Amino acid sequence: MPHPPHQSLQVAAVQGLHGRPAAVPKPRIPARAGDGPWHADAVCRRDEAGLFFAPSKEPTAARLSREEAAKRVCARCPVMVACREHALLQPEPYGVWGGLTAAERRVVLARMRRRSAELRQAPGTGPIAAAG
């Protein structure tokens, strides 16, 4: 499974020629079908993955605190909408993406499915018309 854009990408300096620090190039995230260039501008690329993904057996209070911190990072991200769309289209089952937790994305997806089903339903064939 490819790594999400939230993976830790901290870049360390190494000693270059003449003792001057030389920057190590940032690791590239493997491209996935459908991924757009929004990954490159994601603020979360500079933050720890642990902020966006839960460790195993995380206590509820710690999870809620961590998710709120991740959402604050998302709130200042210039590609939050693209990230959210990606997470809803994939759908991403874990982590905070586009300012939404996995549970919040499940609610959004359920609402979208319900709304889509309502729109597909032909006029006059709903439960109220059948009762009339």
Side-chain angles (χ1 to χ4, degrees):
M1 180 174 165
H3 297 289
H6 305 90
Q7 68 184 347
S8 177
L9 296 176
Q10 294 178 341
V11 178
V14 295
Q15 290 298 319
L17 294 175
H18 310 293
R20 285 186 237 138
V24 176
K26 288 184 179 182
R28 295 188 62 90
I29 296 170
R32 292 189 284 181
D35 278 350
W38 63 269
H39 281 162
D41 296 325
V43 173
C44 61
R45 289 178 64 100
R46 297 182 291 277
D47 290 307
E48 290 296 321
L51 188 59
F52 297 90
F53 294 93
S56 62
K57 300 179 183 176
E58 181 179 33
T60 302
R63 177 182 54 82
L64 293 173
S65 176
R66 179 189 48 75
E67 288 174 345
E68 284 306 313
K71 288 178 179 186
R72 285 192 298 274
V73 171
C74 292
R76 69 176 196 267
C77 184
V79 295
M80 183 182 78
V81 172
C83 180
R84 181 177 294 180
E85 288 173 355
H86 161 83
L88 292 170
L89 290 173
Q90 284 303 312
E92 292 290 352
Y94 306 106
V96 174
W97 290 79
L100 297 177
T101 65
E104 291 166 338
R105 289 192 304 278
R106 285 190 296 273
V107 169
V108 169
L109 288 169
R111 287 179 183 159
M112 290 169 65
R113 282 191 297 272
R114 230 180 355 260
R115 180 70 177 138
S116 179
E118 289 170 1
L119 292 174
R120 282 192 309 266
Q121 208 171 38
T125 61
I128 295 174

